[in-house]
């Protein structure tokens, strides 16, 4: 199974790579330099690097805007994709913020290197040149990783598995729960939520000016909580069960822990009591 690094891990990895490259190349340049660039060469090198990086970053940002709209469309058409799509949006946003900061850092180092070169070659100039070019290379690597991560054909499946690990971290334990019992409990929970939505005319009131679209289970549970029909704790449990079930149907392992099965039975009972319905 493909390893999917978390954004924090990627940030530390790319930052560490830049620091390593900057330190190694600066030390090499200060002690045993292979190339010595004059002022015109340095100006040309950094101005060209900045233009290339700006173009690549701009195209990446533009393409991502269209891709994000496509994700939103998929989420609108299939409510069970909501959790996976939202997790992908958070992931991509975090990575894009990091790339933006790193690109700006590269531009700053490029300007400093060109400005410092006019004052003559020194150790600081060597450090700026090597750090700037290391930042340029690291930025391109980060952008490349981001692009391939965004266009991955298994992005929904990988996001679903990550959500499953978060909601049910013990699903891989030797003692597993019965998936049929979990799905049976969930279907009854969904039926209770649906009946509440129908009896309360929530769907028709929310979508009176356009074609009727079923209110999502998460939204119905949130309405129950805000109307104090269920507690915040029960809402959180409902949210986790909905997330897990949606993750399973979109590529997560079709395995649940015994704790989740017991939790689904408990949630079903508590929801039935809250809505005054015998489960």
């Amino acid at each position: 199974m493909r390893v999917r690094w978390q954004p924090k891990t990627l940030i530390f990895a790319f930052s560490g790579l830049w620091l390593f490259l900057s330190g190694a190349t600066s030390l090499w340049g200060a002690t045993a330099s292979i190339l010595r660039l004059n002022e015109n060469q340095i100006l040309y090198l950094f101005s060209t690097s900045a233009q290339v990086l700006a173009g690549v970053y701009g195209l990446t940002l533009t393409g991502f805007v269209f891709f994000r709209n496509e994700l939103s469309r998929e989420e609108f058409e299939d409510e069970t994709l909501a959790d996976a799509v939202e997790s992908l949006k958070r992931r991509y946003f975090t990575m894009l913020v990091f790339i933006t900061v790193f690109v700006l850092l590269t531009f700053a180092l490029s300007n400093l290197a060109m400005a410092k070169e006019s004052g003559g070659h020194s150790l600081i100039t060597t450090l700026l040149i090597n750090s700037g070019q290391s930042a340029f290379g690291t930025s391109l690597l980060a952008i490349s990783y981001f692009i391939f991560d965004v266009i991955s054909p298994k992005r929904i499946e990988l996001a679903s598995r990550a959500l499953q690990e978060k909601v049910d971290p013990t699903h891989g334990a030797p003692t597993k729960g019965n998936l049929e019992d979990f799905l049976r409990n969930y279907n009854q929970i969904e039926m209770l939520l649906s009946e509440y939505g129908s009896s309360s005319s929530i769907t028709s009131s929310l979508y009176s000016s356009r074609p009727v679209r079923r209110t999502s289970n998460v939204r119905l549970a949130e309405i129950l909580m805000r109307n104090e029909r269920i507690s915040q704790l029960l809402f959180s449990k409902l949210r986790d069960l909905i997330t897990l079930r949606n993750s399973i149907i979109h590529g997560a392992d079709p395995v649940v822990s015994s704790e989740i099965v017991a939790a689904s039975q408990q949630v079903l009972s508590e929801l039935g009591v809250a809505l005054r319905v015998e489960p």
Side-chain angles (χ1 to χ4, degrees):
M1 184 177 65
R2 175 187 166 187
V3 177
R4 187 179 180 85
W5 290 353
Q6 294 299 315
K8 288 183 179 179
T9 304
L10 291 171
I11 290 174
F12 282 116
F14 284 116
S15 299
L17 176 62
W18 171 64
L19 291 174
F20 172 77
L21 291 176
S22 298
T25 54
S26 297
L27 181 61
W28 191 4
T31 56
S33 177
I34 296 178
L35 299 175
R36 295 191 65 86
L37 305 178
N38 58 39
E39 183 177 352
N40 290 332
Q41 289 173 323
I42 292 175
L43 292 176
Y44 179 79
L45 174 65
F46 278 98
S47 62
T48 303
S49 298
Q51 292 176 35
V52 170
L53 185 58
V56 172
Y57 174 77
L59 290 173
T60 302
L61 184 60
T62 302
F64 175 70
V65 170
F66 288 101
F67 182 80
R68 192 179 188 280
N69 291 336
E70 180 66 18
L71 281 178
S72 298
R73 184 189 63 80
E74 292 181 7
E75 179 183 5
F76 179 79
E77 293 179 351
D78 185 356
E79 67 178 51
T80 62
L81 285 173
D83 294 310
V85 168
E86 289 302 318
S87 69
L88 286 175
K89 288 180 179 179
R90 289 192 297 270
R91 173 185 176 85
Y92 296 153
F93 178 77
T94 302
M95 293 176 63
L96 194 58
V97 169
F98 168 71
I99 290 174
T100 301
V101 172
F102 216 88
V103 167
L104 293 176
L105 174 64
T106 304
F107 291 157
L109 290 173
S110 299
N111 291 332
L112 288 173
M114 289 187 290
K116 186 64 178 176
E117 179 60 25
S118 61
H121 195 77
S122 64
L123 181 61
I124 296 179
T125 304
T126 300
L127 180 62
L128 288 173
I129 291 174
N130 288 284
S131 297
Q133 287 302 299
S134 297
F136 171 70
T138 305
S139 296
L140 290 181
L141 286 176
I143 291 174
S144 299
Y145 184 94
F146 175 74
I147 292 173
F148 283 107
D149 192 52
V150 167
I151 66 175
S152 172
K154 293 188 176 182
R155 58 185 180 275
I156 296 295
E157 178 182 341
L158 293 172
S160 297
R161 290 181 178 179
L163 289 172
Q164 183 184 36
E165 290 291 339
K166 181 179 179 181
V167 175
D168 189 16
T170 61
H171 71 278
T175 304
K176 304 183 186 302
N178 191 310
L179 181 61
E180 293 181 0
D181 290 341
F182 169 75
L183 293 177
R184 186 183 304 110
N185 292 335
Y186 179 85
N187 289 337
Q188 294 183 55
I189 291 172
E190 187 175 46
M191 187 179 301
L192 290 176
L193 292 174
S194 180
E195 290 176 355
Y196 170 76
S198 300
S199 63
S200 303
S201 302
I202 292 175
T203 300
S204 59
S205 62
L206 288 178
Y207 301 96
S208 57
S209 60
R210 51 183 169 174
V212 176
R213 180 172 177 266
R214 181 184 178 278
T215 307
S216 68
N217 293 329
V218 174
R219 181 59 177 164
L220 289 172
E222 183 180 359
I223 292 173
L224 283 170
M225 181 196 67
R226 294 189 179 277
N227 284 276
E228 299 182 350
R229 297 292 301 275
I230 62 175
S231 64
Q232 175 70 43
L233 179 60
L234 181 55
F235 170 74
S236 298
K237 293 179 180 179
L238 272 170
R239 190 75 172 80
D240 288 342
L241 293 180
I242 294 170
T243 298
L244 179 59
R245 182 263 188 178
N246 292 343
S247 299
I248 290 175
I249 66 176
H250 285 294
D253 294 334
V255 177
V256 293
S257 64
S258 56
E259 290 82 1
I260 282 293
V261 175
S264 65
Q265 181 62 50
Q266 181 183 5
V267 168
L268 175 60
S269 300
E270 292 181 6
L271 183 62
V273 171
L275 299 180
R276 293 180 174 82
V277 176
E278 289 296 330

